[in-house]
Amino acid sequence: MEVEQLPDQVREFVVYLRNLLARLDQDAGWCGIFWQRDPDGMRVCLTGAEVPPWDVVEALLQDLGMGGGSCEAEVEVEAVRARALHRASLTAFDARAGGRELLGDRLDVMLREQRYAAGRQVELAQLLHTAATREQAEAMRLDLAWARDDHERATARCAELHRRIADLDRRPPPPPVPQRHPQPAPPESPKRSEPSKERKRRPRGSARFAGMPAEAAPAADAPLPAALAAQGPLRGAAASPRGARFAGAAEGETTAPPAPQHLDSEARAAIAACVGTLLRLRAEGRGGEAHGVLVEAAHWPAARFPPLAAELGRAGLGADWATLLWETASLPADLLVAAADALAAAGRTADAQQILRQGVARPATEIGASVLRLTGEGRHRETRALLDAYVRVRTPEEAARSVRDDPGRLVPLLAEAARGVSDERYWDVVHALRVAGFHA
């Protein structure tokens, strides 16, 4: 698409991005890394066919401050302008037909990127202790630095995608279609989500763009930019999830998740030891090992989560609690709902909603398999909580794909969950099921 044909907000940001790059050394800093690792991604952003994640724009602004001849105050002013243009561009870009589904697909990809990078950090931190030579140790430290950058960028991009999805969900719905029971639809055209299967393959290398097609990525052997070792965590936290009530309650209703459980001395000692270990590792700059501690804590009994959150907050480790929530969202469905139950029972409803929203970003077939397993075990309240979050966060078309493994059992459950959200969502899901060849 030519720049002149783009929405005004996207066109304005493209012009700004081109002018920003013109002020930078294209072969140095983060700009050089982006061109080396994802030249196609850079090109599509400069045409307006895609909007880069904010962390990419922020990194280019870092280049401007370090080598573009601008002082710190000028860069700060530039960042405010860039942020406003970027936000307006995303709003216009996401408003296109199919934008909500594309965001969901990209969130799937980035959650996998985040988990991969977290595991990679733990693996490299362990291997670093086994290095036989100084050269091997230096190579592992370089790989570990890139893995940390991968994780920070993936976390920032997940937060950005969640905010964009929430912004779309808060927009007024389009006028209802008069015909609620359409005639049988022709076969569906291929979905935007189908190409995402190829995107989900994980090429090595950081600093790539979230969810954009990447046919090939070079090995992570590029020199480390000077900014990488010095930069802290990427700015921009996720907006608090909104809209979905916990455990399947309709608007105006209340829910009663299990009451908080009392912890024994062993659990309290484990929490204290965990916080103490994290404080020590953070003070020593051993972030990869600290993340390994958080990954292990994510698999603790759910009752430990609320007091652990409180202790992390008192210790000034709020960022670690945020990371732990991300890890919890990737747990199996039963453990995910148990953690959400415990958080909600302790009054941490926003955290409970967050992990449910993030947890249902997994593929539709995985949601269906989880529902079948939970219902087979007679865990009906957990099933309702999972499906309630799913039909609120994902599109009706995505929800319809979750029933393919066992339509006879899954269609009624999905339809019931959609009816609990609203009549409009119920009919949208019913229509999506019919288009997909299923009957509610």
Side-chain angles (χ1 to χ4, degrees):
M1 180 181 293
E2 298 295 332
V3 172
E4 291 74 14
Q5 299 175 308
L6 297 170
D8 292 343
Q9 299 92 330
V10 178
R11 183 172 64 250
E12 187 176 5
F13 180 74
V14 169
V15 173
Y16 172 81
L17 185 61
R18 289 178 176 180
N19 290 337
L20 175 61
L21 287 177
R23 300 163 64 184
L24 303 177
D25 182 346
Q26 303 289 295
D27 298 320
W30 284 112
C31 187
I33 293 295
F34 294 143
W35 276 118
Q36 176 187 348
R37 297 194 169 214
D38 193 5
D40 291 337
M42 290 288 284
R43 292 188 188 100
V44 296
C45 290
L46 290 172
T47 65
E50 294 284 356
V51 181
W54 172 249
D55 70 272
V56 172
V57 182
E58 190 175 41
L60 295 174
L61 290 170
Q62 290 179 10
D63 285 354
L64 184 66
M66 296 184 69
S70 298
C71 67
E72 183 177 350
E74 291 173 335
V75 174
E76 289 182 0
V77 172
E78 192 79 21
V80 172
R81 181 186 176 212
R83 171 67 90 175
L85 293 173
H86 185 260
R87 282 280 180 96
S89 181
L90 288 180
T91 299
F93 191 84
D94 294 342
R96 303 165 305 154
R100 176 63 170 74
E101 182 179 5
L102 180 59
L103 288 175
D105 287 342
R106 289 184 176 177
L107 183 57
D108 286 344
V109 174
M110 285 318 306
L111 286 170
R112 288 183 175 84
E113 292 271 345
Q114 187 189 44
R115 289 194 288 269
Y116 176 89
R120 183 69 175 150
Q121 286 185 81
V122 175
E123 176 188 2
L124 288 169
Q126 294 171 344
L127 288 175
L128 186 58
H129 298 294
T130 67
T133 65
R134 181 177 178 180
E135 289 75 16
Q136 288 180 353
E138 288 301 318
M140 289 180 184
R141 288 191 184 97
L142 180 61
D143 284 346
L144 181 57
W146 278 121
R148 287 170 178 160
D149 182 66
D150 278 342
H151 187 261
E152 289 175 358
R153 290 187 185 279
T155 300
R157 293 172 189 184
C158 286
E160 181 177 289
L161 288 165
H162 274 291
R163 180 188 61 76
R164 291 165 67 180
I165 290 172
D167 287 346
L168 273 181
D169 290 345
R170 284 194 293 268
R171 295 180 193 177
V177 180
Q179 179 64 30
R180 301 299 291 180
H181 302 283
Q183 296 298 319
E188 279 191 283
S189 59
K191 297 273 186 193
R192 291 288 298 270
S193 60
E194 290 177 2
S196 70
K197 295 178 181 177
E198 185 171 343
R199 294 198 300 268
K200 291 173 185 175
R201 289 181 300 197
R202 175 59 164 90
R204 250 187 107 202
S206 67
R208 292 180 296 108
F209 295 170
M212 298 183 188
E215 295 179 1
D221 54 2
L224 196 65
L228 179 58
Q231 80 175 19
L234 294 171
R235 295 187 293 274
S240 299
R242 303 179 185 178
R245 291 179 176 266
F246 177 67
E251 293 296 328
E253 296 179 1
T254 59
T255 61
Q261 301 178 31
H262 297 290
L263 296 181
D264 55 24
S265 58
E266 179 183 353
R268 289 193 293 271
I271 290 171
C274 176
V275 174
T277 300
L278 287 170
L279 285 170
R280 176 174 55 81
L281 292 173
R282 292 303 184 192
E284 296 172 359
R286 296 157 65 182
E289 292 172 71
H291 193 275
V293 172
L294 294 170
V295 171
E296 181 180 351
H299 291 81
W300 278 2
R304 296 185 184 182
F305 279 41
L308 177 57
E311 290 301 322
L312 288 172
R314 279 192 285 269
L317 296 173
D320 281 332
W321 173 243
T323 300
L324 181 58
L325 286 177
W326 281 106
E327 293 299 330
T328 305
S330 65
L331 293 173
D334 54 342
L335 300 180
L336 168 65
V337 175
D341 277 346
L343 291 168
R348 304 186 71 95
T349 308
D351 289 340
Q353 292 174 346
Q354 177 181 333
I355 62 173
L356 281 173
R357 281 178 173 268
Q358 293 169 354
V360 296
R362 60 195 72 191
T365 54
E366 187 175 332
I367 293 291
S370 297
V371 169
L372 289 173
R373 182 164 53 83
L374 289 172
T375 54
E377 296 171 357
R379 305 173 70 173
H380 302 298
R381 196 194 60 76
E382 289 89 341
T383 300
R384 288 193 299 271
L386 186 66
L387 283 175
D388 175 80
Y390 188 60
V391 298
R392 289 177 185 273
V393 172
R394 308 306 291 268
T395 65
E397 293 74 19
E398 291 167 334
R401 291 201 291 269
S402 70
V403 307
R404 288 177 178 169
D405 288 345
D406 193 340
R409 295 170 62 191
L410 292 172
V411 167
L413 292 171
L414 184 67
E416 180 185 1
R419 191 188 294 276
V421 173
S422 69
D423 288 342
E424 182 175 359
R425 180 49 60 97
Y426 170 74
W427 286 113
D428 287 343
V429 169
V430 167
H431 174 63
L433 287 168
R434 287 175 177 167
V435 170
F438 308 110
H439 297 282

